[in-house]
Amino acid sequence: MKFVLALGAASVLGWVGVANAQVTVVEARPTAQATPTAQTGAPAANQQTDLYFRLQALQQEVLELRGLVEEQAFELNRLKQQRQDDYLDLDRRIGALSGGATKAAANDIAIPADNADDGAAYKAAYAKLRQRDLQGATQGFSQYLEQFPKGQYAANSQYWLGEIYLVEGKLELARQWFERVTKEFPADRKAPDAQFKLGTVLFQLGDKAKAKALLQQVANSNADAARLAKDFLSQNF
């Protein structure tokens, strides 16, 4: 009987031991799985942070692009206004010359008797300009310069070509013709006007330092364009 009880007690203890061993194994599983769960939280947080900063960077780029568009729109409007001002200035000059407002204007279309061919060629080109036929005037002045490169109306023809290209928005061509007047005919009465126009063209092309220097020279002179140069300097520098 004692042997049976002892055997039964041993069996119970063995079962308890086995049960304890099973409980230990079962409890160990959640502990082993807790570590990967904690580790996956960090990459998720890093991804959210990265997305946040990317969003901020995109918003900044949008603001910069919007500002660039506004600047370009402002510059476009300024250039349009400049084209209109140039055309009005050209129209005013043509009107002054055709109306004989000043002695200098009258000389612009006079034809000397001793050089009728020279004067006739220039007058034909200038007639196209008065008619607002810019293409015809361009051809006429260009042909005049081919026939009479040092003619008495050569400076005038170069100047009007610069004016025409300026009105058409062809700034580089306008610059070339105005510059030719100032270099080839520095003593001509058209030279100050050409220098003033050259300064405004260089300003539009972005060479503001050279533009300012040229405009100041005109402003300090006694030329008719001095007032225009002073006004341009006060408005843009």
Side-chain angles (χ1 to χ4, degrees), residues 30-43:
T31 303
Q33 293 177 350
T35 301
T37 302
Q39 291 177 350
T40 57

Side-chain angles (χ1 to χ4, degrees), residues 14 17 46 74 89 178 193 227 232:
N46 291 336
F74 175 80
D89 182 62
F178 288 136
D193 292 343
R227 180 183 58 81
F232 191 92

Side-chain angles (χ1 to χ4, degrees), residues 109-174:
I109 57 174
I111 303 176
D114 58 347
N115 198 350
D117 291 339
D118 186 344
Y122 176 78
K123 185 178 180 181
Y126 185 74
K128 295 290 186 180
L129 184 62
R130 288 182 58 187
Q131 296 167 5
R132 311 304 193 264
D133 182 2
L134 299 184
Q135 183 177 359
T138 300
Q139 293 176 351
F141 289 127
S142 298
Q143 290 174 358
Y144 174 91
L145 291 171
E146 290 178 1
Q147 295 177 341
F148 310 100
K150 298 298 181 180
Q152 59 183 331
Y153 296 105
N156 294 62
S157 297
Q158 290 179 355
Y159 174 83
W160 287 119
L161 283 171
E163 285 275 21
I164 292 171
Y165 286 126
L166 180 59
V167 169
E168 292 178 341
K170 301 175 181 178
L171 297 181
E172 182 56 32
L173 288 174

Side-chain angles (χ1 to χ4, degrees), residues 45-218:
N46 291 336
Q47 290 178 357
Q48 291 179 354
T49 302
D50 184 58
L51 290 175
Y52 172 78
F53 284 112
R54 288 186 180 182
L55 179 60
Q56 294 297 315
L58 289 174
Q59 289 177 344
Q60 182 63 32
E61 290 180 3
V62 170
L63 292 175
E64 293 176 356
L65 289 174
R66 184 179 300 171
L68 181 60
V69 170
E70 292 176 353
E71 291 178 2
Q72 291 178 340
F74 175 80
E75 183 65 15
L76 180 60
N77 290 332
R78 188 186 69 80
L79 290 175
K80 287 182 178 179
Q81 184 62 44
Q82 184 65 44
R83 294 283 77 72
Q84 183 178 3
D85 293 342
D86 291 335
Y87 185 84
L88 292 175
D89 182 62
L90 176 61
D91 190 68
R92 177 185 62 79
R93 290 171 180 267
I94 295 173
L97 291 173
S98 61
T102 63
K103 182 178 180 180
N107 290 335
D108 212 17
I109 57 174
I111 303 176
D114 58 347
N115 198 350
D117 291 339
D118 186 344
Y122 176 78
K123 185 178 180 181
Y126 185 74
K128 295 290 186 180
L129 184 62
R130 288 182 58 187
Q131 296 167 5
R132 311 304 193 264
D133 182 2
L134 299 184
Q135 183 177 359
T138 300
Q139 293 176 351
F141 289 127
S142 298
Q143 290 174 358
Y144 174 91
L145 291 171
E146 290 178 1
Q147 295 177 341
F148 310 100
K150 298 298 181 180
Q152 59 183 331
Y153 296 105
N156 294 62
S157 297
Q158 290 179 355
Y159 174 83
W160 287 119
L161 283 171
E163 285 275 21
I164 292 171
Y165 286 126
L166 180 59
V167 169
E168 292 178 341
K170 301 175 181 178
L171 297 181
E172 182 56 32
L173 288 174
R175 181 196 66 79
Q176 293 175 15
W177 284 110
F178 288 136
E179 193 170 59
R180 284 187 61 176
V181 177
T182 61
K183 290 183 176 180
E184 297 179 14
F185 304 96
D188 192 272
R189 61 184 180 80
K190 279 294 184 182
D193 292 343
Q195 186 171 342
F196 165 71
K197 286 295 184 175
L198 178 59
T200 63
V201 170
L202 289 174
F203 179 85
Q204 294 181 60
L205 290 173
D207 193 350
K208 296 184 178 181
K210 188 174 181 179
K212 185 177 182 180
L214 291 173
L215 291 168
Q216 286 178 335
Q217 291 178 10
V218 179

